Amino acid sequence: MFSADQSCWFVRKVICWRAVASVAWSVLLLLPTTALFVLLSRFSLFHPILWISECLSLLTSPSGIFSFILLCGVVLLVGFFNLEYYTVVPSVACSKIALLGQVLHPRQFVHSLVHCIMGVVVAWCCAFTIGGRYQSLGHPCTQDESSGPEMCLNEYHLVLLLVGAFIGYSHSLVGVVYNMNYVSFHTMQQYKYLRFKGALPLVVKASTVQALYGLRNFLLLYFFMGYAPRAWICKTLDLNINRSIHSLDSVSSLLDLSLLYHLWISGTFLLLTWYITVLLFRIFVTEVYSFPVQSTFTEEAHQCLPKVITGTQPMILKFLALQDLALLSQHSPSRRLEVFSLSQPGGHPHIWTALSKECLSLLSDLTERLVAHHDTVATNGRAKSQSTGSNKRPTISSESSVSSVGMEDMKTPRPSALLRTPGSVFLRSSVGAGLRTPLTAPFTPDLDSPFSSPALRRLTGPLEPQGPLSPGFSSIQSPHVMRRGPKLWSASTDSQLNGSPPPSPGPAPSQSQAQLKPAFLVTFLQNRKDQVKHFLAKRVLIMYLFNKLPEASSQALFADSQVHIWALQGLSHLVAASFSEDQYGIVQTTLPTILSTLLLLQEAVDRHFKLPHTSSKPGHCSCSMGDDSYKTLRFALRSTLKTAVYRITATFGGHLHAVQMSAEHRKRLQHFLEYKE
């Protein structure tokens, strides 16, 4: 494992320069975008020559150049935030309260505040570009004839600035909800120009639609609360309100078509410049990077594919390394020969061992996560139910511990999955070891559930010694008076069948009052905790916030499945290519492990797709720049996994019968050989 200083070389030499290139192209594209906005904002159908001449003079004026410099600064800041906040693994909120926590996070608060300020700056540039009644925040006015001219508030300019701030905040908020900072990798490899050309119409559409929605929400908010910012600005800047002009927080004023057009075109221009910056950043960052398979010099060993692929930070480095492995295994025969080569001196397959071990480790980790999630959903927090014949043969869990490389069978018992049946439920009397009849599994209560009653917990809890503070303790200490233990059917039935009288209970052990006080306090606090849980569970708003979203758990489980897809593709293509290219047979030594790992994952994926809310594909929303491709990663993984197994079976054919594996895996593999899966 290489050090942190060595792992940062990729960020310094590759990612940062790619981000700089994306921002440079965004600044270059800002010039035609600004020119288009100037033409649309000053559009005049009946005076075309005057319209074009005014636009050209505005673009070449010193004030216009200053506005363009401000817009360039905003684009640079947006590019910086893209570099700081991007992620290759989306953050999936499994409940409404989790999503609310992401919105209220301090880091997100800074992001929203800065974008709100940048929205005001862009709106000010738009107000200056449009001119006319939007030119400045204050204008001279005369309230009455006796007083002289005063400075009054220009509400049109204020509304335009507030629209910029509102759309800037909405952009930040929508980025959290729709994972706009998520950077996905395209399946089809294209040139950067072709990708930008294909995505540009979607960017324009998303900008116009989001600006329209944002304007609608702002007008509703300003209609009810427009007096607050207007009064605050007048008090802060010592401006007056012109009583001779109607305020804009009325229906007739807000329905001004010219005002609506200028507000909408300004919001579209703001979002278009930011969306283009985001799009270019995604295109440049996800560009394919070719890592050397092996290095001649020791100083560059940490930059080779076998070393890079085993790292975890930064995640973009691991993603690009696995992407390079998948492309290498399909389209580069010369680099595949380097993978199959032996080290000199020694003759060890270090490259193949490192690559295959990392791929198998990723697939095994995913299998463990799927098995754990399936058991959690299947049991729903309760112990598994046994069949009626559970006393004849124990139930064997189908979980597997594939932490090594996936060679262990999935039907191995695990202590964490055993039934949580208390062994002394009915031992409330001091009978001893004669009444150790466990509670049967179908009636086992869920003691960990927040909805279980305290009385049930006391019934199924361990026997507490009776003392002076116990509820059932009698103050009579005569030797002729004896407490009777609880008569249960199990005890009476056993004593009648055995023909022996029930044993007499011994004297209850006495403990001091100081030893019983902590237990009483713990019980009291636990009861109050249960009461609070029951109270909150009956509130609709609390349940709405804390209930899990239908498909969020499955989406979060497969959020990073892109690396598993590339691992499957790279591993299967290398195994298939080894049939004719592996001169030393190094792949055949790990073929049983690879097949077992793939079949274990296949079984876990099949079990997962039998759960509810996992087989329905979510709808795609094209009105936002948020990337929701992570919602369909589980379907892509399932098809890639099946294709990988078929690729190996189609290449090796009947030779796989000589591979050592379990009977269950051999039967499953036979289905692939017969194309029955």
Side-chain angles (χ1 to χ4, degrees), residues 173-232:
L173 183 63
V174 169
V176 177
V177 177
Y178 293 102
N179 278 296
M180 197 174 295
N181 59 338
Y182 168 58
V183 176
S184 63
F185 293 81
H186 279 228
T187 306
M188 300 293 295
Q189 300 299 322
Q190 291 180 313
Y191 291 106
K192 294 188 289 292
Y193 169 74
L194 296 179
R195 286 188 58 184
F196 178 78
K197 180 182 176 181
L200 187 59
L202 299 178
V203 171
V204 175
K205 178 183 177 182
S207 303
T208 54
V209 173
Q210 289 298 319
L212 191 61
Y213 287 157
L215 180 60
R216 178 200 62 183
N217 299 333
F218 171 79
L219 292 179
L220 292 176
L221 187 64
Y222 191 80
F223 178 76
F224 292 103
M225 302 181 63
Y227 64 90
R230 184 172 63 246
W232 181 75

Side-chain angles (χ1 to χ4, degrees), residues 258-399:
S258 176
L259 175 64
L260 294 178
Y261 172 75
H262 286 113
L263 294 180
W264 173 68
I265 199 68
S266 300
T268 303
F269 171 71
L270 184 150
L271 292 178
L272 182 62
T273 55
W274 293 0
Y275 284 169
I276 288 177
T277 308
V278 173
L279 175 63
L280 289 174
F281 178 80
R282 292 177 180 176
I283 293 175
F284 274 85
V285 167
T286 58
E287 187 182 2
V288 177
Y289 188 86
S290 180
F291 296 89
V293 178
Q294 53 186 350
S295 175
T296 307
F297 303 100
T298 310
E299 294 79 6
E300 300 177 355
H302 63 278
Q303 302 181 9
C304 296
L305 186 61
K307 289 290 185 180
V308 169
I309 204 173
T310 57
T312 56
Q313 295 296 332
M315 286 299 296
I316 184 69
L317 178 60
K318 190 178 188 68
F319 271 66
L320 289 175
L322 285 166
Q323 183 188 36
D324 183 44
L325 175 64
L327 297 176
L328 171 152
S329 61
Q330 301 178 45
H331 309 295
S332 181
S334 60
R335 300 179 70 194
R336 283 200 303 262
L337 291 179
E338 295 184 49
V339 174
F340 299 144
S341 64
L342 301 178
S343 63
Q344 299 296 334
H348 300 287
H350 292 305
I351 299 177
W352 165 252
T353 302
L355 296 179
S356 62
K357 183 179 180 181
E358 180 63 24
C359 293
L360 292 176
S361 177
L362 289 172
L363 300 179
S364 300
D365 291 341
L366 179 60
T367 305
E368 289 183 350
R369 278 157 41 189
L370 290 175
V371 170
H373 175 76
H374 181 272
D375 291 342
T376 303
V377 175
T379 58
N380 196 17
R382 289 184 288 270
K384 293 182 180 179
S385 300
Q386 284 183 328
S387 59
T388 56
S390 59
N391 55 350
K392 296 181 181 180
R393 58 183 182 88
T395 303
I396 300 178
S397 174
S398 61
E399 298 181 2

Side-chain angles (χ1 to χ4, degrees), residues 347-523:
H348 300 287
H350 292 305
I351 299 177
W352 165 252
T353 302
L355 296 179
S356 62
K357 183 179 180 181
E358 180 63 24
C359 293
L360 292 176
S361 177
L362 289 172
L363 300 179
S364 300
D365 291 341
L366 179 60
T367 305
E368 289 183 350
R369 278 157 41 189
L370 290 175
V371 170
H373 175 76
H374 181 272
D375 291 342
T376 303
V377 175
T379 58
N380 196 17
R382 289 184 288 270
K384 293 182 180 179
S385 300
Q386 284 183 328
S387 59
T388 56
S390 59
N391 55 350
K392 296 181 181 180
R393 58 183 182 88
T395 303
I396 300 178
S397 174
S398 61
E399 298 181 2
S400 63
S401 176
V402 289
S403 57
S404 57
V405 286
M407 283 297 294
E408 298 180 10
D409 194 85
M410 289 192 67
K411 295 189 175 181
T412 56
R414 286 177 25 171
S416 60
L418 297 179
L419 295 175
R420 295 183 298 164
T421 305
S424 58
V425 175
F426 294 134
L427 294 182
R428 307 298 292 178
S429 62
S430 57
V431 177
L435 294 178
R436 300 192 178 275
T437 304
L439 189 66
T440 54
F443 303 99
T444 303
D446 184 10
L447 303 181
D448 296 333
S449 174
F451 304 102
S452 61
S453 62
L456 182 60
R457 298 189 181 193
R458 289 194 296 269
L459 175 63
T460 58
L463 176 63
E464 296 180 0
Q466 299 290 336
L469 298 180
S470 301
F473 183 80
S474 177
S475 60
I476 303 176
Q477 300 296 335
S478 173
H480 301 286
V481 180
M482 181 178 59
R483 288 179 64 253
R484 299 183 61 184
K487 296 186 66 176
L488 301 176
W489 58 86
S490 58
S492 60
T493 305
D494 291 344
S495 61
Q496 291 177 4
L497 291 177
N498 297 334
S500 59
S504 59
S510 61
Q511 292 186 359
S512 62
Q513 184 177 357
Q515 295 178 349
L516 293 177
K517 279 185 177 180
F520 175 76
L521 181 61
V522 171
T523 305

